[in-house]
Amino acid sequence: MNSRNKMPDIEKKAIHIMIEHPDVVLSTNVEEKWFSNNHLRELASFINYWFGRYTNADEIRAQFCETPFGKRMDCEALFAYLSKIPDPYDYPAVFKTLRADYYKRSLQSSAANIVKEPCEFTVNHLWGIYQEANQTDNNATFDKQQVTDELLRDLDEPVKSWIKTFPKFDRLLGGGLGSDQLLIVGARPSVGKTSFALNLALNAMLDNQNLTVELFSLEMSAKQNMRR
């Protein structure tokens, strides 16, 4: 695993800000994939996952050191080292440079892959990274605190727009199918996953005739699904 000596300076500055000033994470999007150092990437992922829960460096250190990731490293020494890093003057500039460095590494790696194996896939991959790197980071001003407040408000206000399918299934889901959800049905082959999905769609449309259900299948044609 990477040692502290292999931590790029910009990554050390960025994680220092996230630890010492966790309130910054509430209003700034810092993706853990931007960190090349394994330790710092795991720490950034932890802070992002629990954003808003911990309000100071001591709380973050105490909780992270108890995680499986923290137990695999010299957690106390890592936090002691990061705490001694001078506080950067311009936080946004640090995160902007961190992001730029990540895409620079990604573009260099993708270009190297084209040299090794020139084909449509590697070229498209490079082009995809280039487009992503040049996109405006719309999440830079993403107000996580506002989203948290909205989620808490939703918990206090009953959802009225449930999609109904089967009564027992609706009760298990707390009222039915809701918006902003991704439900994955997993099971062995040929046990009825497609039939279950088709029945969900059918019952939902029977309950609400104004409802439109889109079905995408990589297994059967539209005619086969209609026949089923």
Side-chain angles (χ1 to χ4, degrees), residues 47-196:
I47 295 173
N48 279 335
Y49 184 80
W50 292 110
F51 74 89
R53 178 169 180 174
Y54 306 120
T55 58
N56 58 65
D58 289 337
E59 292 179 354
I60 295 174
R61 177 188 54 76
Q63 295 300 321
F64 181 75
C65 289
E66 293 300 316
T67 65
F69 301 111
K71 292 179 179 179
R72 290 204 301 265
M73 64 180 77
D74 191 349
C75 193
E76 296 291 345
L78 175 64
F79 274 83
Y81 175 77
L82 294 174
S83 67
K84 296 177 182 178
I85 295 174
D87 203 37
Y89 175 74
D90 190 344
Y91 297 168
V94 170
F95 296 136
K96 183 177 180 179
T97 303
L98 178 71
R99 180 181 186 273
D101 285 357
Y102 162 74
Y103 281 109
K104 181 179 179 180
R105 293 193 306 272
S106 298
L107 288 169
Q108 289 174 338
S109 176
S110 184
N113 288 335
I114 293 179
V115 174
K116 294 178 181 178
E117 188 176 351
C119 64
E120 184 178 0
F121 175 80
T122 53
V123 172
N124 288 339
H125 185 256
L126 175 63
W127 176 242
I129 295 175
Y130 175 79
Q131 289 181 310
E132 184 179 323
N134 285 280
Q135 286 178 351
T136 301
D137 189 1
N138 295 324
N139 290 327
T141 56
F142 176 64
D143 192 342
K144 295 181 181 179
Q145 186 62 55
Q146 179 182 352
V147 174
T148 302
D149 293 339
E150 291 175 358
L151 289 173
L152 293 174
R153 190 162 52 248
D154 290 342
L155 292 175
D156 294 331
E157 299 175 0
V159 179
K160 299 179 180 179
S161 59
W162 294 114
I163 297 175
K164 303 293 184 179
T165 54
F166 298 99
K168 291 184 178 180
F169 186 60
D170 294 338
R171 287 196 294 272
L172 287 173
L173 296 178
L177 298 173
S179 59
D180 298 328
Q181 289 183 337
L182 172 63
L183 301 180
I184 300 176
V185 180
R188 294 182 295 104
S190 302
V191 297
K193 297 187 299 295
T194 301
S195 295
F196 175 64

